[in-house]
Amino acid sequence: MIVFLFQLAVNLMEFWILLLLMQHICAAHINLNCRNTIICSAVFLLLTGLAIRLLPDDINFLVSMPLSILLTVLLFSKKKFSDLLRFFPAVTIYCVLTIVPEAILTEIMPTFKIVLPISVYEVSLISLVTDATLFIILIFLRHFLMKYQFILHFRIREIIGCIALFLFSIIDIALIIWANNHNIKPINRYLFLTIFIGAFLCSIVYYFYSLFASRIQIYRQCLSRNEIEYLQLQLDALQDVKENEEEVRKMRHDLNSHLAVMKSLCEEKNYEEVRKYTEQLSHDAIFSNGKILTGNHVSDMIVNSKMTVCEEHGIAFTFEGSLTNLKNMTAPDICGLLSNAYNNAIEACLPQQDAYIHTKVNTTRNYTVIQITNSVEKKVAIRGNRIPTTKGDKKSHGYGIEIMNQIAKKYGGSCSLHCSDTEFEVKIVLLT
């Protein structure tokens, strides 16, 4: 019984490793919440238990693992076929990070290989250590990615790269075996082993460093664009203030003339003309300029700036509600949240006729809910609360939603996407 439970535990850890690799590195869309994780683990344990009882030891894992992954994808994935294909690069990465290092250590240091005999089932201590280490790293990576809404999904080029890394690792192992068993001088053998092992380690470090570095650079560029846009809004606001001040000076300059006209009309007892004259003055006042007042100075600048863009492109723009509760948010965060939402909406509306963007804000004592809806020509696919970018440069786009998610989570809220056949909605919930 102990042997059976131990083998189940080891296999379950490897199953979780492959699921985490698929979920966060290989762009799978499997919903791995607590409930679904328990269900898929139970399915795996059931299939593995049956395989251990019914099949030989050397093939039971090869049968139970693919079947468990297949059922997990079919039950909890939004893109079933493509996510099944992600199983293969996940296995490739797993092999490169666990099986290949174990093979290298076993070859160059045979005495280091410690086998734990448990009845008929034997497991290498190196294998346990590498699996446990990779599992802990992936758990930490999952927490990091969820906390900061960071994208680490592989593109096709990177999937091909991981396959190339695996093939290079196989070649490297063959060279290490050759150098270790070939009849050459000890100094040359150690030199070759050092070069081959160093090449393997450097290839792994370079591959994952380039993977993370490219995404961090893109993410920082997106944040920089938000800050630049906010600064531009500030400059526009200062320009508006300057223009308003000039209008005030003109009105003050003409005030005496207006008062003289109204005095003459009053002396003639032409009160109806006085009423019309004052109404005309009120209509021309700078405070009746058609601008939207949201209750927040930064939001005023953003909303009115986007409304101007919509007017230039014939997009109907409405705003309903108040954003006075956003006083605790920093200006760059407000800009990043609203600008990305409106930019996506405007981009979607540009090719349409009779397009519209509507904003509705609902506030309670603790929450502010912002709903931004825009018209769409057809239903947009939403995968894992993300929208696959349709732009040619996929590497530099697609981070706007992630930035919005991060800002919303920073203030204890969320950002969710919904789409019907005619309308797309961004719903932002903030704890205020």
Side-chain angles (χ1 to χ4, degrees):
M1 187 64 181
I2 296 177
V3 177
F4 179 72
L5 293 177
F6 181 80
Q7 189 171 358
L8 277 180
V10 173
N11 290 347
L12 181 61
M13 180 172 63
E14 294 174 345
F15 172 71
W16 282 340
I17 289 174
L18 288 173
L19 276 185
L20 289 171
L21 284 170
M22 290 179 64
Q23 178 71 13
H24 293 292
I25 297 182
C26 295
H29 307 91
I30 307 171
N31 184 13
L32 289 181
N33 54 33
C34 293
R35 171 180 167 273
N36 294 345
T37 301
I38 293 173
I39 293 175
C40 68
S41 299
V43 171
F44 173 75
L45 290 175
L46 178 61
L47 291 175
T48 303
L50 292 175
I52 291 175
R53 292 298 186 187
L54 301 176
L55 300 174
D57 291 337
D58 54 347
I59 66 169
N60 58 55
F61 182 72
L62 298 177
V63 173
S64 62
M65 177 63 71
L67 285 177
S68 301
I69 293 291
L70 173 63
L71 289 176
T72 301
V73 171
L74 292 177
L75 288 173
F76 306 120
S77 174
K78 296 181 179 180
K79 290 189 65 182
K80 296 177 173 49
F81 178 74
S82 64
D83 285 350
L84 284 176
L85 296 179
R86 303 291 179 178
F87 174 69
F88 299 102
V91 171
T92 301
I93 297 171
Y94 173 77
C95 292
V96 170
L97 297 180
T98 58
I99 297 177
V100 173
E102 179 186 359
I104 293 175
L105 286 174
T106 302
E107 177 62 32
I108 62 176
M109 292 184 294
T111 57
F112 189 73
K113 182 181 180 180
I114 301 175
V115 177
L116 303 177
I118 303 178
S119 185
V120 297
Y121 183 65
E122 294 183 350
V123 60
S124 169
L125 181 61
I126 299 176
S127 176
L128 279 178
V129 171
T130 53
D131 283 350
T133 302
L134 180 58
F135 182 65
I136 293 172
I137 292 173
L138 289 174
I139 291 294
F140 171 77
L141 182 63
R142 174 181 172 84
H143 173 74
F144 175 82
L145 295 175
M146 292 181 66
K147 181 178 180 181
Y148 294 100
Q149 290 294 311
F150 193 72
I151 299 176
L152 194 60
H153 292 173
F154 277 26
R155 299 183 293 271
I156 297 299
R157 184 181 65 182
E158 290 160 347
I159 292 176
I160 296 174
C162 78
I163 296 174
L165 180 64
F166 175 73
L167 296 177
F168 173 79
S169 302
I170 298 299
I171 296 173
D172 201 65
I173 290 177
L175 292 173
I176 290 174
I177 294 174
W178 172 82
N180 196 48
N181 294 281
H182 196 64
N183 188 18
I184 57 177
K185 295 180 180 179
I187 296 179
N188 293 336
R189 182 170 68 250
Y190 294 144
L191 178 61
F192 286 141
L193 289 176
T194 302
I195 293 174
F196 297 147
I197 295 173
F200 171 71
L201 295 176
C202 289
S203 64
I204 293 178
V205 171
Y206 175 76
Y207 180 75
F208 284 99
Y209 170 78
S210 62
L211 185 70
F212 279 93
S214 63
R215 278 144 179 86
I216 292 173
Q217 181 181 5
I218 296 168
Y219 190 75
R220 288 177 176 174
Q221 288 174 354
C222 292
L223 292 178
S224 298
R225 283 197 293 267
N226 287 335
E227 293 176 359
I228 292 172
E229 184 170 0
Y230 172 64
L231 292 175
Q232 185 61 48
L233 288 171
Q234 284 186 316
L235 292 174
D236 294 340
L238 291 174
Q239 183 65 29
D240 291 340
V241 170
K242 183 178 179 180
E243 293 175 357
N244 289 339
E245 288 178 349
E246 292 177 355
E247 292 293 329
V248 170
R249 292 192 189 97
K250 292 178 181 178
M251 289 189 66
R252 287 177 178 175
H253 181 267
D254 296 336
L255 184 59
N256 290 332
S257 300
H258 296 317
L259 290 175
V261 171
M262 287 188 289
K263 182 178 179 181
S264 299
L265 292 173
C266 288
E267 290 175 350
E268 296 174 0
K269 297 183 180 181
N270 194 348
Y271 301 115
E272 181 63 23
E273 289 296 326
V274 173
R275 184 185 65 79
K276 292 181 181 180
Y277 194 84
T278 54
E279 287 180 355
Q280 184 63 38
L281 287 178
S282 298
H283 183 268
D284 294 337
I286 60 171
F287 302 106
S288 300
N289 54 12
K291 290 189 175 181
I292 295 174
L293 299 178
T294 67
N296 180 280
H297 176 63
V298 178
S299 301
D300 288 345
M301 292 190 295
I302 299 167
V303 171
N304 285 287
S305 172
K306 303 306 176 184
M307 181 181 67
T308 301
V309 175
C310 289
E311 290 174 349
E312 293 174 353
H313 293 88
I315 302 171
F317 188 94
T318 62
F319 186 95
E320 177 185 348
S322 173
L323 295 174
T324 54
N325 287 356
L326 301 188
K327 57 182 178 292
N328 294 327
M329 289 184 66
T330 64
D333 284 345
I334 295 175
C335 183
L337 198 64
L338 296 180
S339 292
N340 280 299
Y342 282 127
N343 287 342
N344 290 339
I346 291 172
E347 183 177 353
C349 289
L350 286 179
Q352 301 178 40
Q353 298 291 332
D354 301 323
Y356 63 84
I357 298 175
H358 299 324
T359 305
K360 185 177 182 180
V361 183
N362 295 312
T363 57
T364 63
R365 178 178 297 180
N366 298 319
Y367 287 94
T368 296
V369 181
I370 307 171
Q371 294 174 281
I372 301 175
T373 59
N374 62 270
S375 57
V376 293
E377 293 180 323
K378 61 180 180 179
K379 188 173 182 178
V380 178
I382 299 174
R383 299 164 186 167
N385 205 39
R386 300 181 181 92
I387 307 173
T389 179
T390 57
K391 298 177 182 179
D393 185 10
K394 296 182 183 294
K395 181 179 178 181
S396 302
H397 297 94
Y399 284 81
I401 300 297
E402 298 304 321
I403 292 173
M404 293 166 61
N405 276 322
Q406 178 185 345
I407 295 173
K409 287 182 178 295
K410 179 179 177 181
Y411 294 93
S414 63
C415 176
S416 58
L417 310 178
H418 306 278
C419 188
S420 65
D421 292 334
T422 58
E423 190 172 77
F424 185 89
E425 178 189 77
V426 177
K427 185 176 181 180
I428 302 167
V429 180
L430 301 171
L431 181 63
T432 53

